[in-house]
Amino acid sequence: MGSSLCVLSILVLVVLSFHFVVANSSRSLQQPSCHDEESSAMLQFKQSLVIDPSASNVYNGAYPKVSTWKPPLQGENKTCCSWAGVECDEKTGHVIGLDLSSSFLHGSINSNSTLFRLVHLERLNLADNNFNSSQIPPTIRNFPRLRYLNLSMSGFSGHASSEVSQLSKLTSLDLSQNFMFSDERFLRSLAQNLTGLEILYLSYMNISSTVPDTLANLSHLTSLSLRTCGLFGKLPFSLGNIRHLIYLDLGDNKFTGQISASLGNLTRLTELSLFLNQLSGPIPTSLGNLTRLTKLLLFSNQLSGPIPASFGNLTRLTTLSLFSNQLSGPIHASFGNLTQLIELGLFSNQLSGPIPTSLGNLTQVGQLRLSFNQLSGPIPASLGNLTRLTKLKLYSNNFNGSIPQSLFNLMNLQSLNLGNNNLSGTVEFHKFVKLQKLTSLDLSSNNLEVLTESKYLNKATTAVPKFEKLRLSWCNIEEFPSFLRSQVTLSELDLSGNKLQGQLPKWIWNTSTQTLRWLDISHNFLSGVVQSPAVLPWANLVMLDLSFNMLCELLLLPSAASIRYYNIANNKLTGQVSPMICNLTSLEYLDLSNNMLIGDLPQCGGNFGAELEYLKLENNSFHGIFPQSYTNGSNLRMMDISRNNFHGQLSRSLANCASLEVLVVSHNKFNDTFPVWLGVVPELKILTMDHNMFYGVIVEPNKKNLTFAMLRILDLSYNNFSGEFPIEYIFSGNGTSITDVLEYYHTNDLEYNEYVLLYYSITIMSKGVERYYPKIQEELILIDISSNNFEGKIPEFIGTLKGIWSLNFSNNNLTGSIPSSLGNLSRLESLDLSYNKLFGEIPQQLAQLDFLTKFNVSHNNLTGPVPRGTHFTTFDSTSYHGNQGLCGDLLPQKCENSEGTQLPPSTSEDNDSASGIELDCKFVVAGLASGLLVGVVLADFVITKWNVRFIEIVAILIRLSKRMRRPRN
């Protein structure tokens, strides 16, 4: 009986215990009860916005979270705490977390939004939505318990609300990638009030200030990003005191000065980004203390000096980017310690010396980019150990020797760029067949001989890599590579500068017809094409260069309206230009020069030329009136139509070309007055109109905007201009010098991350002969008005044009004296004033012109001594012909005064003597002894040749008196 009661009691206890546990378990599985006012506030917030899939980035796993927000149906036991993105406190049921990131939300948020009724929020994430340029409402202060706030990438704008800095419990704040702006006061208030911050992301907020030292108050920071904030000034030394930093990004700002050595104190850093600033000086060796670094990005600054050897300590680095600086010296062998590196970018510096063989230890590296340096020596065979390498770029260095055979074992290689070095030897192209992943290959501009033809390559079973970029220029290739016929994915093909001859093969028209964008076959010996199509077949062609060949077929025209660069200059093309050229509406660069094209140019009207920047038609046989008209908005920067037979007037529509810098119309038959209306073109720097039939007086206009403010080179020679040459009007804005080389076509190489940079070239008469200038310095000024009918004086103003290097006023009717201000033209190399009516003396100041190498004042009415200077002794007598009154050491007529080439010094004795001659007793004695003879001779000269000879006799007597006065030894 007792035992039965005991068993019964145990069973009762077990049942009760089980019931208690189940009850508690079910209670714990229930969601905390949501407060009605908070549920209502969130539903109203939902109603104030719309769902727009374009409002979020789908790659962030975006989906409309608020679509699950619905009031519970009758009988349902659901609460708002079960809604997507909502987190409630388990005890109180209050909403403490709201994550609506990437939720397709679109609409505005203002101070009245019901969102701000959720006063218990501790975490709020609205990132990656579109709140329609809303400002952060001041009611953000309604969240005093907020510890986490993320409003990044959500379309907020306006001034960053100061109320954000009052959320004193924040440990994480992300306002990055919006359209907001702020200032230094905002940074100071954050540093003062949010001292518990661990994460601060303000990237892409326009702050435009210095970084206050007080930022170091945020001593708990582990992550700080101020990328692209318009920050300037020096990097604060105090940044080195934020010792808990793991991530620091100050990239893409305007910081100047040196990198603070104090950053070497941040030994917990794993990522440091200071790229795209204006930092200068050496890289501090203290950065070698940051042994936890995995990423170091210092590219695109002005850093100089060597790469610290201490970088060999950064053995956890996976990315090291130091490119686009001014770093010099060698690549240290200690770089071989960085065995975790995946990407090493040192290109566009001034590094020198060999590639250390220790780089062969970097077996994890996928990208090795060392282009645009001064590295030398052979390419080490140890690079063949880098079996994970996908990109090897050694372009534009001084490497020599042969290509290591070990590189042909890099089976993962996708891009190999060895161009523009001094590599030599023979390369059998079939060896690249092993590299089946290779899509980009550049061997151009070396001393290599590339053999593209072999039995192996021509086998039908041989799988040649599917190239996208293939650059084999200047590789001594003699035959058109037949393997190209199977290439269907090429976007760029460069075979320029080889020994290709004969005709383009027929199959070339079927090569990569849908993908080819860049084709350069210039500088070869091609004479024609086999079955040339009416238009070229490449549908997406952007660049075509066939220049410097021997093509004599009719002009080959691309079919693609997308073509931007077309150069077929320096061939033997004949016939007329097809009207189909008017269809190339995207052209930026067109060069048809140095051919034998004839006829009128097509009348394209407004359909052609809107995008054109560079037009070069010189040295053909075009005739008629130049047809092109230009409207406002034209991009034309350079036009050269010289050496043709165009006639009539210059098109007044050129005044609409606000970007025009160079206009060359020389050697035509234009019959017009001087184009004063071009003075409205603000960028015009070069204007050459020589060898035409321009005429009339150049009249200074009344309008103030016709000023030729930037003109540097003016050639009006061999025309029929008359009147005075208004040099002060035309060159009034050119007193200062500009030192840049004049560029005319600059593009980013059509999406290939390299550059096409071309310069203005021009052929002009200088120093008496035609000279070709491949690059024109903007600072140099050339003026040639020779062989016209200009008259009047040369103004002293010309001495203010300090950049003049060539001046030709010959063959006119200029009068007056040569201005002494010409002596101020310190860069003058050539001066021609011949065949005018100038009189007076040659200014002695010209002896100061150290660079003067061509000088001609012949056939004027000049008198007096020729200036004495080192360079004046190099000019022969023809420079002075036709000036009967000139004298000098190199002329038939000598100056009787031995110091006649210099201005005589003034002395007190000269001033005291009325006659300028002091007679002593020795001179008197000599005079008595020879007085009769001198008297007779002097009398004869007085009577017959008084004007000239008397002056000469007086000079002789003066010299004689000085000799007699010298003390004897």
Side-chain angles (χ1 to χ4, degrees), residues 566-627:
Y566 183 32
N567 188 350
I568 197 167
N570 295 280
N571 280 281
K572 298 181 179 180
L573 298 173
T574 59
Q576 293 185 301
V577 177
S578 168
M580 293 181 66
I581 199 170
C582 299
N583 297 330
L584 307 182
T585 53
S586 297
L587 265 182
E588 297 174 2
Y589 179 109
L590 175 63
D591 192 347
L592 309 180
S593 62
N594 298 306
N595 282 288
M596 294 180 282
L597 298 168
I598 61 172
D600 293 338
L601 289 176
Q603 297 281 345
C604 293
N607 295 327
F608 177 67
E611 300 298 324
L612 196 65
E613 295 182 22
Y614 178 81
L615 177 63
K616 196 169 172 67
L617 305 178
E618 79 270 17
N619 201 22
N620 281 283
S621 296
F622 295 122
H623 58 73
I625 296 175
F626 189 74

Side-chain angles (χ1 to χ4, degrees), residues 418-454:
L418 305 179
N420 202 22
N421 281 286
N422 297 314
L423 300 172
S424 58
T426 300
V427 179
E428 296 175 325
F429 197 83
H430 69 81
K431 292 185 176 180
F432 290 103
V433 171
K434 296 173 62 177
L435 309 180
Q436 283 295 303
K437 295 182 180 181
L438 194 64
T439 60
S440 177
L441 174 64
D442 187 349
L443 304 179
S444 60
S445 301
N446 281 286
N447 299 313
L448 297 169
E449 182 178 3
V450 178
L451 303 178
T452 60
E453 300 302 312
S454 70

